[in-house]
Amino acid sequence: MNPDIVETVNVAREVAWLPWAVQYFFLIGLSYGAFLVSLPGVVFRRAGWDGISRLALLAALVCGLTAPVALLADLHQPGRFWHFYAYFSPDSWMSWGAFFIPVYLGGLMLYAWLAFRPLLASHAAAGGRLAPLAGWLAFGGHASRNALYGAALLAAIGAVLVALYTGVEVMVVRARPLWHTPLLPLQFFITALAGGIGLTLLFRRFAPVAREGDAAVLRLARALALTQAAVLAVGAVWLGLGLSGLSAVHAEALAQVAPSASWQLTAIWAAGATALTLLLAWKRPGSGLLIGLLALHSAWMMRWTIFIGGQEVPKTGAGFYTYQLPLGPEGLMGIVGTAGLWIFLFVALTTLLPLERLGRPQA
Amino acid sequence: MKIERRELIAAGGLVAFAAGFSQTLGRMVSNFVGEAEAAHNLHGRSAEPEFRVDPVTGEFQPNPAQQVSYTACLGCTTLCGVRVRVDKASGRVLRVAGNPYSPLSTDPHLPMKASVKESFIALSGFQDKGLGGRSTACGRGNAAMDQMSSPFRVLTPMKRVGPRNGGQWAPIPFEQLVKELVEGGDLFGEGHVDGFAALRDLSTPIDPDAPQLGPRVNQVAVLSSVNDGREGFARRFWNQAYGTLNFVGHGSYCGGAYRSGSGALFGDMKKMPHAKPDLANAEFALFIGTAPGNAGNPFKITGAQLAKGRSSGQLDYVVVDPVLTNADNRAAERGRWVPIRPGTDGALVMGMMRWMFDNDRVNTAYLSYPNLTAAEAAGEPSFTTATWLVITEAGHPREGRYLRGSDIGMEIAEDERYKDADPYLALGADGVPVAAATLAAAAALESAGTVDVGGRSVAVQTSFELLRASALKLDIEAYSAICGIPADVISGLADEFSSHGPRACAIAHGGMMAGNGFYNAYSVLTLNALIGSLNRKGGFVMNGGGFKDAGVGPRYDLETFPGQIKPSGTPLGRNVPYEKSAEFARRKAEGKPYPARDSWYPNAPGLGTQFFTGALRGYPYGLKALILWSANPLYGITGLRPLIEKELADPAKLPLIVSVDALINESNAFADYIVPDTMMYESWGWAAPWNGVPTKASTARWPVVEPKAVRAADGRPVSMESFFIALAKAMDLPGFGPQGMADIDGKRLPLECAEDWYLRGGANVAFAGKAPVGDASDEDLSLSGVDRLRPALERTLKPEEWRKVAMLYTRGGRYQPAGEAQDAEHPEWQAQRFKGALWLWNENVATARNSLTGKRSSGCATWMPPAFGDGTPVRDIHGEADWPLLLMSFKSALQNSYSIATRITGLHPDNPVIVHPEDAARLGLSSGQRARIQTPGGSAEGTVIVHEGVMRGVVAVEHGYGHRELGARAHRIGDVSQPQRPDLAAGVNINDLGLPDPTRGGNVVWVDAISGTAVRNGLPARLSPV
Amino acid sequence: MKHHPDSNPDRPQSDARRAFLRGVPVLTAAAVLMPAPARAAEGGQHWGMLIDVRKCIGCQACTMSCIQENAVPEGSFRTVVSTYAIKVEGGDQPAGTYVLPRLCNHCDEPPCIPVCPVSATFKRADGVVVVDGDRCVGCAYCVQACPYDARFINHDTGKADKCTFCAHRLEAGLLPACVETCVGGARIFGDLNDADGELRRRMEAAAGELKVLNPGQGTRPNVYYIGLDARFEGKVEGQGTLWRPRAVHG
Ligand SMILES: Nc1nc2c(c(=O)[nH]1)N[C@H]1C(S)=C(S)[C@@H](COP(=O)(O)OP(=O)(O)OC[C@H]3O[C@@H](n4cnc5c(=O)[nH]c(N)nc54)[C@H](O)[C@@H]3O)O[C@H]1N2
Ligand SMILES: Nc1nc2c(c(=O)[nH]1)N[C@H]1C(S)=C(S)[C@@H](COP(=O)(O)OP(=O)(O)OC[C@H]3O[C@@H](n4cnc5c(=O)[nH]c(N)nc54)[C@H](O)[C@@H]3O)O[C@H]1N2
Ligand code: SF4
Ligand code: SF4
Ligand code: SF4
Ligand code: SF4
Ligand code: SF4
Ligand SMILES: [Mo]
């Protein structure tokens, strides 16, 4: 802070992308991250991935279904969401995103349905809760591998597009140096993947299944460790580019936040949490609950910091704006609301697809 | 169990979801069922334009849904002419900007002969006219319209419920209000209260042993604020009809010290003439204790001219101020801020004078003209008393007085002695004293030391010599040490100031409100006499003044009436010589005439600063009733509130407090009754610029929107005017009622409503001067909304008058053409000139005695440290060891004292306490931290902001915050509560920290000993983190 | 431009005295940018504004008039005059006031436009950048993209809001509210294509001193400044205001 210039009158711009947006980016990231974790077991039938990949697919589904609702809420004219489709604007990444989301979600739902049909059928057969519904949804319960491949491919394309657009949409905002770095999409992607893994680990922890799947947990922990290493590496590159001045955009981004004590704290916190996750995932891969939570925390915090923290940096004014989380829908209630929806969907889906059934490796 | 929990969790999730997304859902629904947006999809909710002007042809087309009217702003005491845009259907004010006919808002202003339509076109984009003819309202002026619809307005007469200042009121009918106030009675269940009828005792003395105090009617006192164009009416009622002597405005806690200093120089300590820099033409202006463009009256036009001068390169200026303000602009490079210690301006100025005397930079040629004729013959438009002789013989009965003709044996009738006919003397060519007025050329600036008076030699000196001696008392280094301004800057300032001939000026105002304010101000203003800039284009110029409405005018007599009373007695503010009081006679008889019980201020005007403590302590007498008309002394007088808060709440000490106001402020919260008054654009009036406009100007105030207050039984909205008229009728007072006033031929006319007064006052304005104004056309009337007044105009005025008065309303006033500021024959002279002498030596000041000590003080500019009433320097009592800092306030550039509940507050919701980085470091304070400010008078908490824009050792507070009322506290009126807005209480008001004067018994506020004005600059203080 | 024609001819301007008043120039030099005023829509109007910072007195008349004219909700601003107390290094005074009127620059390369997912915001032929309130979904992407913090979500309308150069007034042949009421006369408004207009005349007179905010963003603003200090062109490095204006929304 330069004490030689003291702003005596100015106005603050309030945060325009609210916690809703954080929730969206967080959930959609978890969804496509978990979707990726679902592939080895469900699509490629890699040994030992079976149960865990299905859990991942459930995670992808719950998060994927919640995310767009949060996005809708971040619009101040939610009733006009159809304008996105009526007035396609090819210059805008957000406009493209409006088309990518249904591709991804459509593919994901189809893929999940195809993947879960047999389970729904067995749930119905076993007379589980809401068995008739499960039976109806199973629609015969056949496993149609080709259709599944097709749906997975569609979802994968959608996931890539969503990962791309969510990253680039933010990255292109030159007015916010903190956002405007080419590494940002990559950072979003890696932390999303880590979050997806983390959530899967969490599901796994609560799926009352026998020890037999531990190998998969270890493998996931390894993967998580790798993502954390990648996060640190990319972070180091970001910092290096900024400090060295080799890259102007990184230098500018760094310059905006470096002087702030709270940003320094945030950076140390984030790096520390990542390193801790890495360490634990590597040394004690069995601590699934802890590293899963840590990974989720990092993914959420990264987005909170980028979105809310980024908007606390005035574009023209001096100093920083201070954001205080409002209690209403535009703040805390919004976060709680998305969590509520998530929980509802989770409960609803696990009623039909109990975790233990999902997590149990199939013969 | 397990199953139930699942369901519960799911349900909980759904509930949370519903709550979180309710708003989203609501928005989606309202998209379909909500109100349709206005047709113009690109302009959001912007207002429809008030009219259209074709950019190619200039063709004009009004918007029939809106009215654009010219009236006055009351966003501050400047009272600018503004244009108010009203939505006709709702009566809502849409926006306010400037009146292009008004010199307070436009430079140069439009001539009156331009039609209203032309005036509108002149504001438009057509041929870029609106850029050159720009007519503005300032930020506060734009925000002030919020007051009109403020939820904090008083709209009905009300009477307190419970104790004073309890915040509870009962609305009462106007008729009940008038009856209770006139007749009195057991009004609050607290015992009998005398009504106005009983209190109007014009014959019984307040104190039979002190008949000088006057009749009991003087125990009813009125405190008002500024003359908003309606004071003439209020004074007619209280002074001339009701008969009390005690009616004062806010002068003594506004910039009174400055005006008294000016009064000393201009030779009239009661009316206090004053002048202002001619910024439009000046080359150099020195602002000492007034911050142009930050505040000041006239605020807006001064700011505009400053901006113009500094960017065109015509003007250089220096602002001497303890705190950095918006008077500075780092992009312009033509202004300079010189930080100074509060209350030390006299040292700076006497240092400058010393440099000017030492370096032969005093315009001695100018000073040597002993009268106006000699001066004019030499091309000078003004003159001074520099050559006049003053008796300096120690012990001489007339020591300190000017030597007069009768003193040296001239033939003067005894009853004319020392009056106008007894001439002042200067030394003629042969070194012999002659009547100064008779000399045709220069007189000597240096005396021979003595004159022969009847064979005895008496020591005399010229005013010039006395002033020079005063300046030479200290050297520049010593002056520098006092004021904290480096010696080279003092001499640099003197050099610059004296390098522009008469196109320079030194001016002061609020910054003089220190414990030595009078002498500081007298000193600053005397600088102008030393360069001869008075009445000079680009120099120190007089106000054009208004066209008189409330006088014996060309059409109506608004001044005299049969049965009018000439109030008499001792004013409550004791602004008369103690030596004429009964107390003095008694004490003298006892052999010890001094000290008096408290200070007297013979050289001051009416003093609101003394009203409360005087009344509550019964010195010189107590009050039976106090009327507060749109004034807020408890917020505005430094140190008053903590001293009197308790007593004021006690009806036994002051039985009746009645307020006439549009809002509840910190003062009338203590009232027993509040009578609603009109607000801003609802009011009538004829306002004149306070100063700073060299051409004649009268601003017309008229209800451009319907007054919001309740209506009385007669259908008229309750206001100051209707209230006073009703009181007059109920008490059958002269000067009001069916025969209340007269036209100029003596024909009696009714004075029964505001229109009777203001429209006829308007006729006086319209017909003033050589030729009356022209007639308003029907188009003028309809375009300006004045057609609404037409029935009243035709009813009240004579056929040959009404269109001329309408002319004034359509133009928002009467304004002399812009080009007539200078004298037609002498383009370097101002048209409006002060024709009297500038008194380098003021004998009345020199010979008055301090009533506490019997001592005299200097008769000319001098350095004197800030002191208490008996002359004890403040620092002798509150030393630097205990109170290392000096606390002062400066006006907010955005707020005034009552604009807090308007949109401007959103930009700057609080007032930070400014601390210099060095002081902050020493005290361990940083920006944003809370700190406790303490003075010997109290303590308060504020948020600190640290920057270099303040003098070291000074704590500066922006005035206009720290409110307890005006929305900061929700009052309950009947069963309706005002909105809760605790945010409006943010910040600090240093007036809650003012000092009592320990040399006057410690229970009165500290004021300047000569001018009696509040001391708010340089309060000894300390600061500590909380 | 300064002249003292008649005052004390025997005492010519001493350099020392000039130095006393002027001190060290305070404005840090910055890349001078001479705009090419003739813009697209040649022949038609191209609105622009010139702000002479030297004339601004920080009175916020512009800010308030804009709020009243355009019904801007509490806590939001289409324009504001940022005010600073700045330390003056080695100058004639310890500190000074710097004011900077800010509003939408109606950029010729406006980053706020391409991001809009529904093409609700666009630049008109007369240069004014506007938001189509019938189409805007209130996503605030444009708010993020504007490098000047000139946009906000209007909580009364739920749409993006910003200065429109008072287009509704321009259409009526009137001046923008903030220009009409500018006390210091700092805001000059007009048609950049009108070579004889006041705006172009003033711009040409100040040619060497004209600057725009944040030129590095490549936005090509149509709001020009005289007296723009380089330290204030982009994000200001300094201590922010202690108070945030109140905002009521939800
Ligand atoms: N913006 C704004 N404008 C206003 C008003 C308002 O409230 N706000 N009020 C109107 C009214 S009623 C009036 S009377 C005028 C007053 O206008 P001014 O007299 O110009 O204003 P003040 O702020 O009272 O005092 C002027 C300056 O004196 C400085 N000062 C304080 N103590 C000292 C000192 O000891 N020495 C020196 N040299 N300077 C000192 C203050 O810091 C301040 O900047 O403004 C009118 N215009
Ligand atoms: N510390 C410190 N103290 C100061 C000053 C300072 O700079 N610093 N400034 C001083 C100065 S210069 C002055 S002039 C005084 C001012 O002191 P005052 O003149 O006593 O008070 P104001 O605050 O101007 O209050 C006038 C009252 O009029 C009422 N009012 C407002 N608008 C309207 C209206 O449209 N119609 C009617 N009928 N009533 C209305 C409101 O209740 C308001 O409180 O304060 C002085 N006090
Ligand atoms: S200077 Fe005062 S009277 Fe004039 S527009 Fe501003 S607030 Fe109103
Ligand atoms: S200033 Fe911002 S909102 Fe205005 S046109 Fe430029 S980018 Fe768009
Ligand atoms: S807020 Fe409106 S104008 Fe801005 S980008 Fe979104 S839809 Fe477009
Ligand atoms: S041009 Fe109009 S909308 Fe833009 S800042 Fe000025 S007043 Fe506001
Ligand atoms: S109205 Fe003009 S002088 Fe006042 S703050 Fe705005 S730009 Fe500056
Ligand atoms: Mo005042």
Side-chain angles (χ1 to χ4, degrees), chain C residues 103-107 110-112 129 145-148 150-151 162 219:
Chain C
L103 69 160
C104 168
N105 290 288
H106 297 274
C107 309
C112 57
V129 173
C146 167
Y148 302 100
R151 288 177 173 245
K162 64 183 274 296
T219 51

Side-chain angles (χ1 to χ4, degrees), chain B residues 13-85:
Chain B
L14 266 185
V15 168
F17 169 59
F21 284 77
S22 57
Q23 186 188 53
T24 306
L25 203 69
R27 281 178 177 161
M28 294 180 79
V29 171
S30 78
N31 252 324
F32 298 102
V33 302
E35 58 178 308
E37 281 297 329
H40 43 266
N41 61 340
L42 299 184
H43 309 312
R45 298 196 175 164
S46 305
E48 286 292 336
E50 56 275 38
F51 42 73
R52 313 182 80 83
V53 178
D54 188 288
V56 181
T57 62
E59 194 191 298
F60 175 86
Q61 202 191 316
N63 175 352
Q66 292 182 22
Q67 173 193 326
V68 179
S69 304
Y70 295 130
T71 182
C73 176
L74 202 58
C76 77
T77 51
T78 303
L79 284 147
C80 293
V82 286
R83 66 180 189 274
V84 179
R85 179 173 150 206

Side-chain angles (χ1 to χ4, degrees), chain B residues 891-953:
Chain B
K891 290 223 157 49
S892 168
L894 307 180
Q895 299 281 5
N896 73 4
S897 42
Y898 53 85
S899 54
I900 195 76
T902 67
R903 279 295 286 278
I904 196 121
T905 306
L907 267 177
H908 193 47
D910 201 339
N911 64 343
V913 175
I914 311 174
V915 182
H916 190 274
E918 282 176 18
D919 295 318
R922 194 165 36 75
L923 297 164
L925 283 166
S926 59
S927 283
Q929 227 177 310
R930 300 283 291 171
R932 176 153 295 281
I933 315 168
Q934 279 173 283
T935 68
S939 88
E941 230 183 74
T943 303
V944 163
I945 189 168
V946 180
H947 60 70
E948 311 264 342
V950 66
M951 180 76 180
R952 278 180 196 75

Side-chain angles (χ1 to χ4, degrees), chain C residues 8-28:
Chain C
N8 296 335
D10 51 341
R11 276 191 221 113
Q13 303 278 303
S14 77
D15 288 346
R17 199 163 57 69
R18 294 288 92 207
F20 168 77
L21 257 174
R22 297 279 187 284
V24 181
V26 286
L27 296 185
T28 354

